[in-house]
Amino acid sequence: MNSDARVRNDVVSSHSVAGAPCWVSLTARDQQAAEDFYRAVLGWQFRTTALMDRFRIAYADGVPVAGIAAVATMWQMAVAWTPYFAVDSADEAVARGQERGGTAAVGPIGFPPGRAALLADRDGAVFGIWEGQLVAGWETWRRAAPAFLRLHTRNAFDAAMFYGEVLEWATSRPGCCEVHYDGDEVVLRSDGDVVARIHSGAVEAAPDPTIRPHWQVHFSVADVETCVRAALEHGGTVRDGATTTEAVLRDPDGAQFTVTSKPQV
């Protein structure tokens, strides 16, 4: 990241990386129960934040990984992992989404030092946007890449058009995300790194929510099998098809995520 992306105290603003994935967060019911599960399964440690009483930051080996917000009951929202994308203006991004057939579920709401909103694309996949200062240590998060995103959607190319227009991908603005096509997938790059993939084949009316359009959050781990055992021991479940390199898990409240083996270096 160039020096223009920095401000005093090494804080990064969403304006500097607009359009890029900037965070992932779990909407949970019970803060302590969520922390206990993810500490056991992923080895995370948690710290409080000035953002709000119900919000914690998860760390792995000193690197910020994700947020957990115990607001599902308060806001009458589903328990789920959600990716957030950086934007210049939350209001304008929400307006662009609605103009293109998406819906706004929450916000924009002020969470000093920024503003957030939850939206759904026109196929129903939920995602968040963030305007403002990013979490402390965000550049470390970006370099470590502890989380990766994949959108399972009805039509990858149609979805890429929607997100490209809402989040200003592949535009003339400096530092915008690049969109590439790799067979039947759309690949999103930020600063040269692959940060998300969009895959076709989801079914809008499927009774199984894992088949309907959705964003799937992947976490890099050292040992997938150990994570699977810990998840089962602490009330989670594992989808069929788990391998030694990747497994789709659900926490006790049903939030789905994927653990993937870290690349060997």
Side-chain angles (χ1 to χ4, degrees), residues 1-83:
M1 186 176 301
N2 61 42
S3 59
D4 291 338
R6 298 175 182 268
V7 295
R8 186 174 300 176
N9 296 327
D10 203 29
V11 170
V12 179
S13 165
S14 65
H15 304 283
S16 303
V17 292
C22 65
W23 196 236
V24 294
S25 186
L26 171 66
T27 305
R29 292 192 182 93
D30 184 301
Q31 189 76 47
Q32 191 60 55
E35 289 185 23
D36 290 345
F37 176 82
Y38 288 97
R39 183 181 293 109
V41 175
L42 299 176
W44 290 348
Q45 299 300 315
F46 296 89
R47 301 179 190 172
T48 57
T49 171
L51 185 61
M52 58 186 292
D53 291 341
R54 296 172 178 263
F55 192 86
R56 301 287 187 276
I57 302 293
Y59 288 79
D61 298 324
V63 176
V65 178
I68 293 183
V71 296
T73 302
M74 181 174 67
W75 288 353
Q76 297 183 334
M77 296 170 58
V79 173
W81 279 102
T82 303

Side-chain angles (χ1 to χ4, degrees), residues 99-141:
E99 288 167 0
R100 289 158 178 80
T103 57
V106 177
I109 296 176
F111 291 114
R115 302 176 74 232
L118 283 177
L119 299 90
D121 65 25
R122 51 194 172 211
D123 287 324
V126 176
F127 66 103
I129 55 172
W130 176 261
E131 170 200 347
Q133 178 181 320
L134 303 184
V135 66
W138 183 83
E139 286 190 85
T140 304
W141 180 84

Side-chain angles (χ1 to χ4, degrees), residues 25 60 83 135 184 189 223:
S25 186
V135 66
D184 62 350
R189 292 181 181 269
D223 189 328

Side-chain angles (χ1 to χ4, degrees), residues 223-225 228 238-248 259 261:
D223 189 328
V224 169
E225 292 177 299
V228 168
V238 183
R239 278 186 60 189
D240 292 340
T243 69
T244 58
T245 58
E246 186 168 285
V248 180
V259 289
S261 292

Side-chain angles (χ1 to χ4, degrees), residues 75-97:
W75 288 353
Q76 297 183 334
M77 296 170 58
V79 173
W81 279 102
T82 303
Y84 282 78
F85 296 85
V87 296
D88 281 334
S89 166
D91 291 315
E92 292 177 8
V94 168
R96 288 194 297 268

